[in-house]
Amino acid sequence: MPDRRPFWGPLEHQQFRNFWLAFITSNFGGLIQGVAAAWMMTTITTSESMVALVQASSALPIMLFSITAGAIADSFDRRRVMLAAQLFMFFVSALLSVLTVYGLVTPWLLLSLTFLLGCGTAFNTPSWQVTIGDLVPREDVPNAVSLNSVAVNITRSVGPAIGGAVVALSGAATAFALNAASYIALISVLLRWSNTPKQSKLPREQVAQAVVAGARYVSMSPNLLKIYFRAFCFGISAVAVLALLPLVARKALLGGPLVFGLLLCAFGLGALAAAALNGRLREKFSSEGVVRLSFLGFALSEIVIASTTNFFLSAAAVLIAGLCWVLVL
């Protein structure tokens, strides 16, 4: 039998360990910022649409720029791309914190700065995902990718609750400042990382050409088109849960930022449970069966969230939503 690499093996490599710990720190900051921005919007406007747009402004850049960002990650020095993205997000977060302290944040300004932070994330993520292969030997790459997912789910499970507590105790400005500080760890690691970009004998592909080539490949693959269409239909409806959760916490449950953070924490715990159950479910059901059951489970959880005023029922429904969300993905 082939020798199986230990799951935690990639952490033996110092460069990957430094990046992984800094990535966790940055993720915590981002989640704290997300809680603060969503809750702050409920305090500076009574418009449900504006509250929902906080989630949209954060996710929209990923939809708009992810393909271009992927092409940039393939064509340019990924260290410089990530460093530029992290520095950009640091300054935007610091600016948001200062403006909040002086009471200058309006709903549209909050959406604009949240959108800019989303742009930084959109350009940083593809470069980081590809960089994993440069930090560990080839045989450790699968476990390194899994550890990256573990980091995301760990921060998602407890980060929002911490964010809610920070906002409740110290206000949104402190939460934004903590997010700005969280980028320092990753910026420091990037500055100390002396990577040697791989030299290719082929000429560098233009970003526009790479985007067109990728779009052409997808358009000529019926199976990929089906997957993307289903993912779009699911995502466009499922994202309503996260977008409107601040209103659920404030109006339906009559809670504060801590309640909102705890609901997001339940969503993250559901994501962790999905990661643990995924293998067992796929042994008993086909991938299509898991997807269909998850669609149904998410729909039922949305009905419960929309109809109950009980915190524990809401938290349980949000947990199931998080579980089904990750199982679908």
Side-chain angles (χ1 to χ4, degrees):
M1 295 181 62
D3 181 33
R4 294 188 61 184
R5 302 290 297 173
F7 180 73
W8 300 102
L11 294 178
E12 296 175 358
H13 305 282
Q14 183 177 0
Q15 284 188 340
F16 177 79
R17 184 169 65 250
N18 291 341
F19 269 95
W20 191 72
L21 292 173
F23 177 70
I24 289 177
T25 302
S26 182
N27 260 22
F28 267 120
L31 287 165
I32 291 172
Q33 190 276 338
V35 172
W39 188 257
M40 184 179 182
M41 185 62 83
T42 68
T43 65
I44 60 177
T45 180
T46 58
S47 170
E48 288 85 355
S49 297
M50 296 299 289
V51 175
L53 282 175
V54 174
Q55 179 69 24
S57 65
S58 179
L60 184 61
I62 298 175
M63 184 184 75
L64 294 177
F65 305 125
S66 58
I67 297 177
T68 302
I72 290 174
D74 288 337
S75 303
F76 295 92
D77 183 355
R78 292 188 288 272
R79 173 180 173 272
R80 294 184 179 181
V81 173
M82 289 189 291
L83 190 56
Q86 293 294 321
L87 286 170
F88 176 75
M89 290 188 286
F90 168 79
F91 286 115
V92 173
S93 297
L95 175 62
L96 180 55
S97 178
V98 172
L99 292 175
T100 303
V101 168
Y102 288 98
L104 300 176
V105 178
T106 64
W108 283 109
L109 180 59
L110 179 59
L111 290 178
S112 298
L113 294 176
T114 302
F115 177 83
L116 291 178
L117 286 172
C119 291
T121 300
F123 281 94
N124 179 81
T125 300
S127 292
W128 161 240
Q129 291 174 337
V130 179
T131 297
I132 292 175
D134 298 332
L135 300 174
V136 297
R138 181 182 296 271
E139 60 270 18
D140 279 332
V141 169
N143 285 337
V145 173
S146 297
L147 281 170
N148 191 51
S149 298
V150 167
V152 171
N153 287 324
I154 288 175
T155 54
R156 186 184 293 166
S157 63
V158 297
I162 296 175
V166 169
V167 175
L169 295 173
S170 301
T174 301
F176 298 144
L178 286 175
N179 183 40
S182 73
Y183 295 117
I184 296 176
L186 200 45
I187 291 171
S188 175
V189 171
L190 285 167
L191 288 173
R192 290 186 284 111
W193 180 39
S194 56
N195 70 316
T196 304
K198 297 179 181 179
Q199 299 296 325
S200 174
K201 297 180 180 179
L202 299 175
R204 176 185 292 172
E205 186 177 21
Q206 297 296 320
V207 172
Q209 293 176 344
V211 172
V212 172
R216 186 186 301 118
Y217 175 79
V218 172
S219 67
M220 297 177 66
S221 176
N223 289 331
L224 281 178
L225 287 174
K226 291 178 183 177
I227 292 172
Y228 288 149
F229 177 73
R230 294 180 69 184
F232 175 80
C233 291
F234 174 74
I236 203 72
S237 58
V239 75
V241 170
L242 292 177
L244 298 175
L245 211 53
L247 293 174
V248 171
R250 189 178 185 89
K251 295 188 175 182
L253 303 181
L254 303 179
L258 185 57
V259 169
F260 174 46
L262 289 174
L263 290 177
L264 286 176
C265 178
F267 190 90
L269 290 174
L272 279 176
L277 294 174
N278 184 47
R280 296 180 182 179
L281 287 174
R282 291 186 58 146
E283 290 176 359
K284 297 183 179 180
F285 304 96
S286 65
S287 294
E288 181 64 21
V290 173
V291 169
R292 291 181 179 181
L293 286 173
S294 299
F295 281 172
L296 178 61
F298 200 98
L300 292 175
S301 69
E302 285 187 299
I303 293 173
V304 173
I305 293 169
S307 58
T308 185
T309 57
N310 182 279
F311 169 76
F312 294 102
L313 280 178
S314 293
V318 171
L319 186 147
I320 293 173
L323 184 146
C324 293
W325 178 293
V326 173
L327 286 178
V328 169
L329 296 180

